[in-house]
């Protein structure tokens, strides 16, 4: 067939737009579109396959194949040539389809007589919607121009699908963003919440994919790109940028000034697309290409291009991040990722947070824990599935999100929330009682905190103190180092709010997954085992001394408890402890009041410290087991890796034996010992720790009630006997034995 000229491409798109504008149901529109495309491209067949669910494609309309196969022919993602296009997001063009690798014959379609095959994805900015196919009897490959023309048509179909043009009553033709969706992610913070979606970055809606005047559209795209370049240059001129921020913006500038990028968008416009649709077409094509690239650095550039394209779309459409929409009641924040300062701005008005990215130790997770709101991470495609105002259920316990749930699901979820609320009311009656087991053993239950907003939970939860106050949040939410006076005032307010209860301030714990924007190390292949926590403090003593001075001044003569993170050997603790003593001497010599009593402790987060010389246990005033990191290093299971972090049971016999060794070493020297981390707040794990001899547990405030309730109804001596019997019996984990024993205990 002859090459498509630019005017013919625009003519096809205008005919397509006119067809879409006519009245009729979704199926009727699809049927007319397939006829139109086959006629315009001179092919015997045109078919549209749309996703019925994330893994299944369905033939929804065809010109040329057997009509009875519509809504009957289905294939899995990656199955056949159509499935390959859907999986890769890249075209398949072949002169002999039956001989092509992966070809799947569908006898009900009658397609065996068609040799040539061209399939292109129907996709919109990473959201795969379906596949558009043309076929002909003649054995030939389609030209570059024909491929390009079909991609442009597919782009318009994607926009129309997004806008609901094909919605109807036909099977498989339900509207996008109307169907119930369940997304399985990871647990960032436990808890359950029901609310309405609030998108951190609202989707840009393109309502005009086809344009009549290419010259006007080209002027628009050039003007918008010019504004984009100026905005990136302005950002780069900011003095507060660090090296890595500049590197990202330099990548932005490279894309923004790419002649190839602008040229391709102008070519798309010449074919008949509007400026906005041209931006999205190139964004979708780049996404498809980069998603196939194994190199992590190149894949990261995908985010740069995404962000830049979104900025350009907002310039073109005027749809800024502030759309004027009112935040719904009970908002659940949905975002690709979010920084701690931005999340803190939303504050406690949020019912929950759902992120496409994130990690269990990310800044957002730390803030979510501080705000006591459920967080689900790694929720794949949530930002493309969700719309502002959508009903959403967040199950932080299971790491599951239900978007636009069916009523049966919502009802069951509400029952779960009601049961949790009723349980919390029961726990409230225990608030003033000690966690005393039937055998008379008392376990001290403390809470973890990191914000002033946490402190009201100290009285409400029944916590006996703060076993861990994370001081890094005050550093993470700023773009420059906080001043000593600022920190001293904050720490003083924390002590005031504690009303005399003990607060263990952990010194700055940065590095690994907590990186300060103004103090970044060189890239490290394994940051969890790199330059972090006390290692940063000892290498940059000025920062650590400044924080110690702020803590001493905040005490104003009251008792002070300081805890150093990630101590791995005796000498690190000796050096850090000497710094505290030096600052105490300095403050006293300046005439400033010093704390009435100072406790200096260490977090045991690596197995090496458990085998430190006896001198360490004699020198330190207390030891707090940092369970999250210790488990990571003990099992060699990266806590940020969803595939392995849940693989190993905390009640594994090997891990419990290791904890017993730590307990014994501390008992020899009379060193107070506690366990801090997520596992301390899980009642069965807390029971096991207490039975082994741990007399202090620190957890999130909401966990104190459930843990106390369980400890008060059991005999720890009996629980220890169950654990010992399971160990001696060769069990890999004591959990089954402990659960069976608990089931037999009276309520």
């Amino acid at each position: 067939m002859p090459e498509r000229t630019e005017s013919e491409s625009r003519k096809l798109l205008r005919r397509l737009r006119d067809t879409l504008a006519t009245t009729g149901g979704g199926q009727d529109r699809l049927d007319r579109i397939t006829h139109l495309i086959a006629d315009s491209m001179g092919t015997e067949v045109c078919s549209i396959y749309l996703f019925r669910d994330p893994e299944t494609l369905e033939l929804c309309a065809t010109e040329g194949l057997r009509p009875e196969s519509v809504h009957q022919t289905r294939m899995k993602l990656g199955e056949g040539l159509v499935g390959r296009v859907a999986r890769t997001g890249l075209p398949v063009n072949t002169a002999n389809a039956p001989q092509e690798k992966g070809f799947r014959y569908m006898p009900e379609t009658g397609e065996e007589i068609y040799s040539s095959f061209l399939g292109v994805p129907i996709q919109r900015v990473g959201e795969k919607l379906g596949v558009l196919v043309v076929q002909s009897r003649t054995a030939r490959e389609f030209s570059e121009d024909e491929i390009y023309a079909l991609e442009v048509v597919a782009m318009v179909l994607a926009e129309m699908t997004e806008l609901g043009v094909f919605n109807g009553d036909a099977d498989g033709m339900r509207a996008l963003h109307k169907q119930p969706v369940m997304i399985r992610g990871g647990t960032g913070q436990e808890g359950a919440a029901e609310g309405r979606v609030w998108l951190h970055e609202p989707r840009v809606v393109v309502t005009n994919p086809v344009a009549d005047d290419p010259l006007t559209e080209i002027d628009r795209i050039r003007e918008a790109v010019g504004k984009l370049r100026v905005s990136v240059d302005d950002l780069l001129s900011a003095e507060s940028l660090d090296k890595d921020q500049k590197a990202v913006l330099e990548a932005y500038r490279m894309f923004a000034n790419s002649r190839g990028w602008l040229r391709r968008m102008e070519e798309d416009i010449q074919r008949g697309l509007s400026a906005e649709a041209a931006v999205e077409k190139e964004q979708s094509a780049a996404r498809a290409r980069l998603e196939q690239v194994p190199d992590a650095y190149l894949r990261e550039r995908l985010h740069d291009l995404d962000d830049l394209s979104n900025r350009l779309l907002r310039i073109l459409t005027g749809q800024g991040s502030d759309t004027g929409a009112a935040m719904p009641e009970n908002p659940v924040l949905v975002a690709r990722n979010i920084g701690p300062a931005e999340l803190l701005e939303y504050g406690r008005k949020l019912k929950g947070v759902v992120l496409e990215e994130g990690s269990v130790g990310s800044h957002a997770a730390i803030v979510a824990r501080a705000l006591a709101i459920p967080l689900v991470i790694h929720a794949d495609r949530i930002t493309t599935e969700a719309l502002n105002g959508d009903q959403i259920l967040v199950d932080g316990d299971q790491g599951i999100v239900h978007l636009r749930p069916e009523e049966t699901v919502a009802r069951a979820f509400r029952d779960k929330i009601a049961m949790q609320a009723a349980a919390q009311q029961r726990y409230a009656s225990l608030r003033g009682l000690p966690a005393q087991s039937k055998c008379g053993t008392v376990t001290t239950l403390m809470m973890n905190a990191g914000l002033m907003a946490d402190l009201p939970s100290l009285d409400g939860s029944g916590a006996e103190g703060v076993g861990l106050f994370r001081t890094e949040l005050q550093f993470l939410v700023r773009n420059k180092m906080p001043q000593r006076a600022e920190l001293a005032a904050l720490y003083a307010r924390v002590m005031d709010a504690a009303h005399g209860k003990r607060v263990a301030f952990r010194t700055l714990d940065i590095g690994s997954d907590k990186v300060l924007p103004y103090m970044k190390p060189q890239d490290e292949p394994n940051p969890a085992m790199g330059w972090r926590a006390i290692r940063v403090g000892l290498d940059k003593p000025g920062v650590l001394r400044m924080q110690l001075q702020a803590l001493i001044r905040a005490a104003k003569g009251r008792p002070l408890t300081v805890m150093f993170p990630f101590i791995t050997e005796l000498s690190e603790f000796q050096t850090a402890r000497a710094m505290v003593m030096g600052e105490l001497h300095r403050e006293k010599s300046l005439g400033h009041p010093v704390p009435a009593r100072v406790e200096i402790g260490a977090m045991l987060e690596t197995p090496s410290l458990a085998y430190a010389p006896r001198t360490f246990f004699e020198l330190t005033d207390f030891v707090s087991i940092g369970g999250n990191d210790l488990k990571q290093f003990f099992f060699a299971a990266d806590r940020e890796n969803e595939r392995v972090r849940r693989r190993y049971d905390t009640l594994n016999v090997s891990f419990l034996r290791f904890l017993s060794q730590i307990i014994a070493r501390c008992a020899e020297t009379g060193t107070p010992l506690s366990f801090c981390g997520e596992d301390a707040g899980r009642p069965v794990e807390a029971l096991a720790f207490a039975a082994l001899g741990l007399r202090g547990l620190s957890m999130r405030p909401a966990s104190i009630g459930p843990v106390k309730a369980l400890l008060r109804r059991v005999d720890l001596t009996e629980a220890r006997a169950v654990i010992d019997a399971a160990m001696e019996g060769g069990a890999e984990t004591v959990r089954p034995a402990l659960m069976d024993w608990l089931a037999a205990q009276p309520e």
Side-chain angles (χ1 to χ4, degrees):
M1 64 177 286
E3 296 277 23
R4 301 287 103 188
T5 65
E6 293 172 356
S7 59
E8 286 176 324
S9 295
R10 289 199 299 275
K11 189 187 301 182
L12 169 59
L13 287 183
R14 280 199 295 273
R15 290 178 65 190
L16 181 62
R17 182 185 60 191
D18 294 342
T19 298
L20 293 171
T22 57
T23 58
Q27 186 63 55
D28 182 53
R29 283 190 172 124
L30 281 173
D31 292 340
R32 279 182 279 158
I33 287 168
T34 54
H35 175 78
L36 169 64
I37 295 172
D39 179 62
S40 297
M41 295 196 67
T43 60
E44 289 94 342
V45 175
C46 176
S47 304
I48 295 175
Y49 297 81
L50 297 176
F51 277 102
R52 183 178 182 84
D53 60 53
E55 295 295 321
T56 309
L57 285 155
E58 181 176 301
L59 176 61
C60 290
T62 186
E63 170 79 13
L65 300 183
R66 291 174 183 162
E68 58 268 26
S69 63
V70 174
H71 297 305
Q72 301 303 314
T73 296
R74 294 177 185 171
M75 61 198 69
K76 292 296 183 183
L77 184 66
E79 184 180 11
L81 300 185
V82 173
R84 189 208 299 180
V85 174
R87 179 175 54 79
T88 64
L90 302 173
V92 169
N93 179 19
T94 177
N96 193 344
Q99 297 301 312
E100 189 74 15
K101 183 179 179 181
F103 174 80
R104 182 193 165 194
Y105 174 52
M106 302 284 194
E108 71 274 14
T109 65
E111 64 178 338
E112 66 273 11
I113 62 175
Y114 303 108
S115 182
S116 300
F117 176 100
L118 171 61
V120 299
I122 302 172
Q123 58 188 359
R124 182 185 186 273
V125 195
E127 187 173 14
K128 295 175 179 176
L129 306 171
V131 178
L132 175 61
V133 174
V134 291
Q135 295 170 273
S136 63
R137 288 188 174 89
T138 307
R140 69 178 183 87
E141 287 194 0
F142 290 86
S143 68
E144 289 293 324
D145 192 75
E146 288 171 316
I147 297 171
Y148 198 102
L150 199 63
E151 286 179 327
V152 170
V153 171
M155 177 71 211
V156 174
L157 291 180
E159 294 296 343
M160 294 297 100
T161 305
E162 174 78 13
L163 293 171
V165 169
F166 305 129
N167 300 347
D169 53 8
D171 185 27
M173 299 301 296
R174 292 174 295 174
L176 286 177
H177 307 299
K178 301 293 182 185
Q179 306 169 38
V181 176
M182 185 192 83
I183 298 175
R184 191 175 297 277
T187 296
Q189 164 67 9
E190 295 166 340
E194 177 180 6
R196 296 284 172 178
V197 168
W198 180 251
L199 289 167
H200 182 54
E201 293 182 333
R203 294 165 64 93
V204 173
V205 179
V206 177
T207 57
N208 59 328
V210 180
D212 288 319
D213 186 352
L215 294 179
T216 299
E217 295 301 300
I218 287 174
D219 285 344
R220 290 181 65 228
I221 195 75
R222 288 177 178 173
E223 182 182 358
V225 169
K227 290 179 179 178
L228 179 68
R229 289 170 176 168
V230 169
S231 69
V232 173
D233 288 343
D234 288 345
L235 287 171
L236 267 166
S237 65
E239 294 181 1
S240 61
L241 294 176
D242 65 19
K243 182 183 67 176
D244 285 357
Q245 289 170 320
K246 283 185 178 179
V248 171
L249 288 173
E250 286 290 358
Y252 283 6
R253 181 153 68 180
M254 179 188 72
F255 282 125
N257 287 281
S258 167
R259 293 181 180 178
W261 186 45
L262 180 57
R263 186 190 69 249
R264 287 192 299 274
M265 290 189 291
E266 290 181 354
E267 288 173 355
D268 293 333
I269 291 170
Q270 290 287 1
R271 297 278 175 173
L273 291 182
S274 67
E276 292 88 343
V279 175
E280 285 205 343
K281 180 179 180 298
E282 289 309 308
Q283 187 178 8
S284 296
R287 262 180 171 257
R289 287 193 298 270
L290 287 173
E291 282 175 354
Q292 307 302 313
V293 174
D295 185 272
Y297 174 80
L298 290 177
R299 285 200 309 273
E300 187 61 31
R301 298 286 69 79
L302 169 65
H303 294 317
D304 297 340
L305 183 56
D306 258 355
D307 188 57
L308 203 67
S309 298
N310 289 334
R311 287 170 185 253
L312 185 56
L313 281 169
R314 294 190 193 288
I315 293 171
L316 283 165
T317 62
Q319 297 174 29
S321 56
D322 182 5
T323 61
M327 183 179 286
E329 287 188 22
N330 301 323
V332 171
L333 186 73
V334 171
R336 191 176 75 191
N337 216 335
I338 189 170
E342 293 171 305
L343 187 51
L344 280 169
E345 284 180 14
Y346 286 106
R348 292 187 181 274
K349 68 182 75 167
L350 297 178
K351 300 292 286 185
V353 180
V354 182
L355 301 178
E356 273 193 19
E357 298 174 3
S359 65
V360 293
S362 66
H363 309 160
I366 295 167
V367 174
R369 289 185 200 118
L371 297 175
I373 54 177
L375 165 67
V376 171
I377 56 177
H378 304 306
D380 189 39
R381 299 180 70 252
I382 184 69
T383 58
T384 56
E385 286 284 2
L387 295 178
N388 270 342
D390 278 345
Q391 184 184 9
I392 187 170
L393 311 176
V394 183
D395 188 339
D397 303 322
Q398 302 296 320
I400 292 174
V401 177
H402 295 277
L403 194 61
R404 301 178 293 271
E406 294 177 344
E407 184 55 33
T408 53
V409 174
R411 200 159 42 237
F413 193 84
R414 291 183 193 119
D415 288 345
K416 175 179 178 175
I417 293 177
M419 289 174 63
Q420 290 179 342
Q424 287 296 336
Q425 287 183 340
R426 292 198 305 273
Y427 301 145
S429 65
L430 305 175
R431 189 178 301 151
L433 301 176
Q436 182 171 337
S437 303
K438 287 185 174 180
C439 56
T441 304
V442 176
T443 305
T444 301
L445 303 184
M446 297 163 288
M447 61 173 269
N448 300 331
L451 296 169
M452 275 299 300
D454 293 329
L455 272 300
S457 299
L458 189 54
D459 294 327
S461 66
E464 297 176 57
V466 178
L468 165 67
F469 189 90
R470 305 180 185 92
T471 62
E472 57 271 9
L473 279 175
Q474 290 71 47
F475 289 78
L476 289 168
V477 298
R478 291 170 167 81
N479 57 17
K480 62 180 181 178
M481 187 74 70
Q483 299 296 307
R484 180 179 58 193
E486 291 179 80
L487 293 178
L490 172 71
Y491 300 152
R493 290 200 301 274
V494 171
M495 292 185 197
D496 292 342
H499 304 304
K501 290 183 178 179
R502 179 176 179 267
V503 179
F505 289 93
R506 183 179 68 186
T507 60
L508 189 58
D509 185 6
I510 59 167
S512 185
D513 47 21
K514 300 186 287 288
V515 180
L516 298 184
Y518 46 86
M519 195 170 74
K520 292 185 180 179
Q522 298 298 313
D523 288 341
E524 295 180 295
N526 192 342
M529 299 173 71
W531 196 63
R532 55 174 292 199
I534 194 61
R535 297 170 180 175
V536 177
L538 297 180
D539 287 352
K540 290 189 174 290
V543 176
L544 182 54
R545 286 198 181 98
M546 181 269 286
Q547 189 179 23
L548 293 173
Q549 291 165 12
L551 286 166
I552 292 167
R553 293 185 184 185
K556 299 175 183 175
R558 294 172 289 191
L560 173 65
T561 302
V562 178
M563 179 166 62
F564 292 112
F566 210 64
I567 296 290
T568 60
E569 59 182 7
L570 170 62
S571 61
E572 289 176 336
F573 183 73
Q574 288 174 322
T575 304
R577 186 179 185 279
M579 289 176 70
V580 177
M581 304 311 291
E583 293 309 317
L584 286 169
H585 177 74
R586 178 178 179 275
E587 290 296 301
K588 190 172 184 178
S589 67
L590 291 172
H592 298 155
V594 294
R597 183 181 74 258
V598 179
E599 288 183 288
I600 306 172
M603 292 203 78
L604 193 156
E605 299 168 271
T606 62
S608 64
L609 194 61
Y611 301 101
R614 181 185 176 94
T615 308
F616 164 73
F617 294 95
E618 293 173 339
L619 185 63
T620 186
D621 293 321
F622 65 94
V623 171
S624 177
I625 295 173
N628 298 337
D629 262 326
L630 184 61
K631 231 167 78 176
Q632 167 175 251
F633 296 122
F634 184 84
F635 289 112
D638 184 354
R639 58 188 285 210
E640 303 301 336
N641 187 331
E642 290 295 317
R643 286 181 290 186
V644 300
R645 80 181 185 96
R646 291 180 179 273
R647 188 184 187 102
Y648 300 100
D649 190 354
T650 305
L651 301 188
N652 179 288
V653 166
S654 301
F655 189 63
L656 294 185
R657 282 202 172 106
F658 182 58
L659 291 182
S660 295
Q661 291 181 34
I662 299 169
I663 293 167
R665 292 213 68 186
C666 288
E668 287 173 11
T669 54
T671 308
L673 176 66
S674 63
F675 188 103
C676 174
E678 294 173 8
D679 289 320
R682 297 187 171 112
V684 177
E685 281 84 340
L687 166 61
F689 297 157
L692 289 178
L694 278 161
R695 294 293 167 258
L697 302 173
S698 190
M699 62 201 73
R700 65 188 184 109
S703 297
I704 290 175
V707 169
K708 183 184 289 187
L710 180 58
L711 291 179
R712 284 181 59 84
R713 75 179 182 91
V714 297
D715 185 315
L716 292 181
T717 307
E718 292 181 17
R720 178 61 188 262
V722 171
I723 292 172
D724 288 344
M727 287 180 166
E728 292 167 7
E732 183 175 74
T733 171
V734 306
R735 188 177 299 276
L738 208 52
M739 294 298 290
D740 289 344
W741 176 76
L742 274 174
Q745 301 304 301
E747 287 290 339

